[in-house]
Amino acid sequence: MSTGILLQLAQTLLAILLAPLLMGWVNQCRAWLQGRSAPPITQPYRTLKKLFHKDAVIAHNASPLFRFAPYMIFACMALAAGIVPTVVNDLPFSPAADVIALVGIFALARVFLALAAMDIGTSFGTLGARREMLVSFLAEPALLMVFFTASLISQSTRLPVIVDTLAHQEFVIYPSLAFAAVAFWMISVAENARIPIDNPSTHLELTMIHEAMILEYSARHLALIEWSVALKLFTYSALGIALFLPWGIAAQGDMAALPLALLIMIAKFLLGGALLAFIETISAKVRLFRAPEFLGTAFLLAVLGMLLHFLLEV
């Protein structure tokens, strides 16, 4: 087995294993900022272990789709985490690391989650699925505009080329990327069901989006979905780093740079998780009917960034 394939498998497994740790770090930082006793950083692992040891309770009218969806969602998130460069760039999955294909992978996982939420026929599941589709309908075009801004700079839609172009050229401040970065942050908190769009720590039936879709899941199925949620947060964080802070990602074949690249990656994720917790602490959840305004602003910022580079090349 070639070194590239080994590095690809190692990077994918690293993302799968570290994703719950990132979630635990965010929860711990948020508890500290709110003056509460912080849970252990390994609490997500304990929760997953507990859920995997329980027996699943499934509604009698559940279709095979309801049982299959958690596995499909987890596979999509693992694939997305594998093709986004985190430690090493230009790995064997790189030909598949197209930003448009990446948006499609996220959409595929979302469709299965929404269909599974509506499968049982509960009011909460259907309500959550409709809200999720509303958010995605507004977030996906904005995410594409963010990617197109980076693609115009690198003249490619492939993530490895974008990372290599932005990381190894002369240091240039792009105002267009600044607008795209703000838009990407707004999209990522919406796509990951975080404040101000959704609150992952509550189960208020009038406001919840993601939690409403998984109320009927239990045991291993719920564990896979929760793990997928952590993987999605990890992937979006890695995507933000690859687009806007790509320095430190090692090139394929540069084995000597791997330890430093791993340390830089961990430092970036620690800072990013703490920043996310800080923003959630000082922010309030907006009303659901204000979510289109929030994501509409993200779309306008992303389009403005793209037009700035397209017209002025800045």
Side-chain angles (χ1 to χ4, degrees):
M1 188 177 292
S2 66
T3 304
I5 296 177
L6 284 174
L7 287 174
Q8 180 69 76
L9 292 175
Q11 180 171 275
T12 305
L13 289 175
L14 185 69
I16 293 173
L17 294 175
L18 290 184
L21 194 66
L22 175 62
M23 187 69 73
W25 169 247
V26 173
N27 294 337
Q28 194 172 62
C29 290
R30 188 169 56 183
W32 288 338
L33 291 169
Q34 294 174 351
R36 298 185 287 110
S37 178
I41 195 172
T42 56
Q43 184 61 41
Y45 295 107
R46 300 178 184 180
T47 303
L48 292 175
K49 180 181 178 182
K50 179 181 67 175
L51 290 174
F52 274 120
H53 282 82
K54 287 188 174 183
D55 294 327
V57 178
I58 300 176
H60 64 86
N61 61 335
S63 71
L65 173 67
F66 184 82
R67 298 175 175 85
F68 174 71
Y71 300 96
M72 186 64 185
I73 295 167
F74 183 82
C76 288
M77 291 300 103
L79 176 60
I83 66 178
V84 176
T86 52
V87 180
V88 186
N89 193 28
D90 199 17
L91 290 175
F93 279 8
S94 295
D98 187 274
V99 292
I100 300 176
L102 189 62
V103 174
I105 293 172
F106 288 135
L108 180 62
R110 182 183 299 109
V111 166
F112 270 91
L113 181 59
L115 289 176
M118 295 185 292
D119 184 74
I120 301 298
T122 60
S123 58
F124 281 158
T126 305
L127 189 66
R130 294 172 65 182
R131 291 173 174 176
E132 178 71 11
M133 290 297 103
L134 171 66
V135 171
S136 65
F137 166 75
L138 298 167
E140 284 178 2
L143 184 59
L144 285 172
M145 292 301 105
V146 171
F147 287 150
F148 289 158
T149 301
S151 298
L152 286 173
I153 295 173
S154 61
Q155 300 298 310
S156 175
T157 58
R158 293 177 59 239
L159 271 174
V161 177
I162 294 173
V163 171
D164 186 67
T165 302
L166 296 177
H168 298 105
Q169 68 175 7
E170 293 183 3
F171 181 74
V172 179
I173 297 176
Y174 288 101
S176 55
L177 278 183
F179 284 105
V182 176
F184 181 81
W185 169 78
M186 298 173 74
I187 296 162
S188 62
V189 296
E191 288 279 64
N192 287 278
R194 313 292 300 193
I195 293 174
I197 298 298
D198 194 12
N199 190 344
S201 61
T202 64
H203 287 76
L204 297 176
E205 62 273 13
L206 295 178
T207 61
M208 61 183 175
I209 300 176
H210 173 75
E211 296 297 329
M213 295 188 290
I214 63 174
L215 284 177
E216 297 299 322
Y217 278 110
S218 61
R220 63 184 181 276
H221 299 127
L222 181 58
L224 286 172
I225 291 178
E226 294 291 354
W227 206 340
S228 302
V229 171
L231 259 176
K232 189 174 184 179
L233 179 62
F234 185 95
T235 304
Y236 264 89
S237 301
L239 194 56
I241 290 171
L243 291 175
F244 307 110
L245 295 171
W247 304 281
I249 299 177
Q252 184 183 3
D254 190 2
M255 302 299 292
L258 285 180
L260 179 60
L262 183 60
L263 290 176
I264 292 175
M265 182 208 74
I266 293 174
K268 289 178 180 177
F269 274 97
L270 289 176
L271 290 175
L275 181 61
L276 175 61
F278 175 74
I279 293 174
E280 287 191 327
T281 302
I282 64 174
S283 303
K285 184 187 175 304
V286 300
R287 295 179 60 209
L288 181 64
F289 295 113
R290 299 294 297 273
E293 298 178 12
F294 182 84
L295 291 170
T297 303
F299 178 77
L300 291 176
L301 288 172
V303 171
L304 181 60
M306 185 186 68
L307 291 177
L308 272 176
H309 185 78
F310 183 75
L311 298 176
L312 304 177
E313 296 186 356
V314 295

